[in-house]
Amino acid sequence: MVREIYENELSKLLNLYLYLHEKSVPERTEHLKTTWETIIKDKNHHIIVNEADNKIVSSCVCVIIPNLTRNVRPYAFIENVVTLKDCRGRGYATECLNYAKEIAKMENCYKMMLLTGSKEESILKFYRSAGYNSSDKTAFIQWLE
């Protein structure tokens, strides 16, 4: 079942993120609590999860970004697409991305953007099959310390 995350599911999400690029679950600090509260209360920040057998098996984040161009239409940014290793290839992430697309359509977004750090052809093929392309724009990243 695809849906938006519930406020009490932070621990489940952080454990899922161990399959993304995290090495450990962050400590339960005041900063973590404040950040989580900010995300949960932000109407433009959507954490989408896919639940199977009473556990979160896949997730993505969809952030709607207000915009002054393109007829003052917002755009959507997709990040943190992840699925439990033993649940990959079953369509869970695709369902999350489709849910994000519906949110973007409801918000009148003119485009969706997604970045991946992966160079694995299977992952790039997955994003292409989900409707994304890597030919329209060039992404540049500057990491801040």
Side-chain angles (χ1 to χ4, degrees), residues 47-100:
I47 299 178
I48 299 156
V49 297
N50 202 335
E51 186 178 39
D53 299 323
N54 290 322
K55 68 178 178 179
I56 293 175
V57 296
S58 189
S59 180
C60 74
V61 173
C62 175
V63 179
I64 307 301
I65 302 171
N67 181 41
L68 295 174
T69 65
R70 302 287 181 155
N71 244 358
V72 194
R73 291 177 65 194
Y75 58 93
F77 187 78
I78 306 301
E79 187 60 275
N80 296 337
V81 181
V82 61
T83 302
L84 290 175
K85 191 170 187 168
D86 60 342
C87 293
R88 293 178 185 162
R90 298 184 195 172
Y92 294 128
T94 299
E95 290 175 353
C96 287
L97 291 174
N98 289 340
Y99 193 99

Side-chain angles (χ1 to χ4, degrees), residues 8-44:
N8 66 350
E9 293 180 311
L10 175 60
S11 291
K12 293 178 183 180
L13 182 67
L14 294 175
N15 281 308
L16 178 62
Y17 281 172
L18 293 173
Y19 293 87
L20 189 60
H21 49 65
E22 297 301 309
K23 304 239 185 293
S24 63
V25 173
E27 286 184 45
R28 291 282 184 158
T29 62
E30 192 60 34
H31 178 62
L32 176 64
K33 180 182 175 203
T34 302
T35 301
W36 180 242
E37 288 172 359
T38 299
I39 290 169
I40 287 294
K41 290 177 184 173
D42 184 350
K43 71 177 185 66
N44 287 321

